[in-house]
Amino acid sequence: MMDNFTPNRFVDELNQAGIPEEFHGWLSAHGVGALVVKMGIRFTELSAERTVATMPVEGNTQVAGILHGGAHVVLAETLGSFAASLHAGQDRHAVGIEVGATHHRSVAAGTVTGTCTAIHLGGTLATHEIVITDEKGRRLSTARITNMIRDNRPQRTDGPGGAPAD
């Protein structure tokens, strides 16, 4: 059962994902997301300009025993989306509108690192390049993500029973 009422119910999840305490207030209502937890993604740097995270190969492989191409994209999109959200700020949000990746080499064990670097941080769009490397620093994939920056909708409370209405 999901608990939607306990303040800071995701504090353990945020700590395990390496989220610095300065971002806990912002992320405490939603956590880092179930897929980030399942994939074992752990942040080591977090800013709009540069975000870095690691992910284990084990548990994220395809049938041939190598890191799944989709896992590369999950790591890349996670990094780009977090960086774009930081750029957007708490009164706005980022919505992914395009992501693409090129896979250069495979990896069958260890930990991969994704380094996300801003290409463009504008008022309505944020574009980031993500390079994923193995433990030897070899480039495994290169991805690019563009997020649209949107204003948050005001919360309405005129739904049935005073609940938020959509």
Side-chain angles (χ1 to χ4, degrees):
M1 181 171 137
M2 173 78 77
D3 175 0
N4 291 321
F5 304 104
T6 304
N8 302 321
R9 69 184 186 276
F10 292 107
V11 69
D12 289 338
E13 179 180 298
L14 296 173
N15 286 331
Q16 288 177 345
I19 301 294
E21 284 190 36
E22 65 191 85
F23 299 114
H24 282 210
W26 174 51
L27 294 168
S28 64
H30 305 286
V32 293
L35 189 55
V36 170
V37 173
K38 285 180 186 179
M39 302 293 284
I41 295 171
R42 181 161 170 68
F43 294 88
T44 58
E45 289 183 45
L46 199 55
S47 75
E49 295 80 16
R50 179 181 158 92
T51 299
V52 180
T54 60
M55 182 179 70
V57 172
E58 184 179 356
N60 295 317
T61 57
Q62 46 117 303
V63 69
I66 60 174
L67 184 63
H68 195 290
H72 286 259
V73 178
V74 167
L75 178 58
E77 187 163 359
T78 297
L79 289 167
S81 294
F82 268 79
S85 294
L86 289 171
H87 171 64
Q90 291 189 21
D91 295 330
R92 304 183 84 201
H93 62 278
V95 179
I97 59 171
E98 183 268 337
V99 64
T102 300
H103 304 299
H104 309 292
R105 69 172 42 227
S106 64
V107 64
T111 300
V112 297
T113 300
T115 303
C116 171
T117 307
I119 296 172
H120 172 77
L121 296 174
T124 57
L125 292 176
T127 302
H128 291 84
E129 177 184 67
I130 302 91
V131 174
I132 299 174
T133 57
D134 65 11
E135 292 173 336
K136 295 179 181 175
R138 296 178 296 190
R139 186 181 291 233
L140 304 173
S141 62
T142 305
R144 189 185 76 183
I145 182 170
T146 298
N147 283 276
M148 185 182 337
I149 307 298
R150 309 274 316 254
D151 292 332
N152 292 339
R153 288 184 177 177
Q155 285 287 336
R156 292 178 47 196
T157 58
D158 58 352
D166 256 342

